[in-house]
Amino acid sequence: ACILLPANLRWGALAVALALNAVIALALGYSLGSSVLFAAANGLEAGIAAVLALRFCGVKARRIGLRRLVQLLVIAILPAAFASTVFVCMIGGIAFDLPADPFWHVWFATEALGMALTLPAILLISRAAAYPEFRRGALEAAALYTGLAILTAGVFAQSSLPLLFVPFPAMVLIAFRLGPAGAALAGLQVVAISVPMTVSAHGPTMLSAALNFTARVHLTEGFAGALLFTGLAVAGAVAD
């Protein structure tokens, strides 16, 4: 919202998003104080990421190539996630006796992975019109997305084989045919399928017996991020 919306709408959209963030935290069983703290930390993170992205990463450009996406990750997303982590650990430690360890690296990984998966994808989807050479028929696009969804669901419906490599050829095909915006949408689709299935104790990450629940979710998000950026790299090369 801070990047895509006009200046006169940004603060209102951010306020609504933060209110929803606090409500969701309350629904998950966190206290009112913790819910407000988490929402404030997310707001700080979003604001810092937006400022850095707008000033240093060229996210207002008509097309966003792989170089700008890497800049977005290194210059905006990671520093914003770090600042959010420092804020929530400091305030949480003072106000709620929240232990910094292991909370800090769980928060940082969650925030960094979440923003790395969503922000580049949303920016590219919003610029689909900038890639007219990748316009395809609705039937072809639906077939490609459906194929990837079936592969992803099949991989995460079982927990006995390490099949995380299976969706990659489908993502590469989507990148060739549908371009950066199509690859970005496909990446979000994979996240929407793989993460809930991991949360429900399904998928190849269950093979990692040494990992706890949170680490398995982060591993799945890391897989989705690798898949997304593979698709974006291929699509960017084709577009250039």
Side-chain angles (χ1 to χ4, degrees):
C2 292
I3 294 175
L4 295 175
L5 292 177
N8 61 325
L9 298 177
R10 288 174 187 167
W11 291 111
L14 184 60
V16 171
L18 296 183
L20 288 174
N21 190 293
V23 168
I24 291 171
L26 283 169
L28 291 174
Y30 291 99
S31 67
L32 177 60
S34 295
S35 300
V36 172
L37 172 62
F38 296 161
N42 283 324
L44 174 68
E45 179 183 332
I48 292 173
V51 170
L52 293 175
L54 288 168
R55 290 191 178 182
F56 303 110
C57 303
V59 294
K60 285 295 187 180
R62 180 172 174 269
R63 290 192 175 200
I64 300 178
L66 183 61
R67 181 177 64 84
R68 284 199 170 103
L69 291 177
V70 173
Q71 289 177 334
L72 183 66
L73 177 64
V74 175
I75 297 175
I77 293 175
L78 292 180
F82 179 77
S84 171
T85 302
V86 172
F87 173 81
V88 78
C89 286
M90 287 182 59
I91 303 301
I94 294 170
F96 306 106
D97 291 325
L98 192 68
D101 188 33
F103 183 79
W104 74 267
H105 56 77
V106 173
W107 180 275
F108 178 79
T110 300
E111 298 302 302
L113 285 167
M115 191 174 291
L117 286 169
T118 55
L119 181 55
I122 291 171
L123 289 174
L124 286 168
I125 292 170
S126 69
R127 285 163 172 76
Y131 300 93
E133 66 271 31
F134 291 105
R135 289 175 184 164
R136 305 289 184 239
L139 185 61
E140 179 183 356
L144 290 170
Y145 289 130
T146 301
L148 178 61
I150 291 172
L151 285 175
T152 304
V155 167
F156 282 86
Q158 57 83 43
S159 305
S160 57
L161 296 173
L163 299 178
L164 291 177
F165 60 89
V166 170
F168 279 83
M171 173 60 90
V172 171
L173 178 59
I174 288 174
F176 267 105
R177 297 298 297 165
L178 304 181
L185 183 58
L188 293 183
Q189 174 183 266
V190 169
V191 172
I193 296 170
S194 62
V195 171
M197 295 187 78
T198 300
V199 170
S200 63
H202 293 87
T205 56
M206 295 301 110
L207 294 170
S208 305
L211 299 180
N212 60 24
F213 169 79
T214 302
R216 287 172 178 169
V217 173
H218 287 163
L219 181 58
T220 299
E221 291 176 331
F223 148 75
L227 184 69
L228 170 64
F229 276 87
T230 297
L232 295 182
V234 173
V238 175
D240 291 340

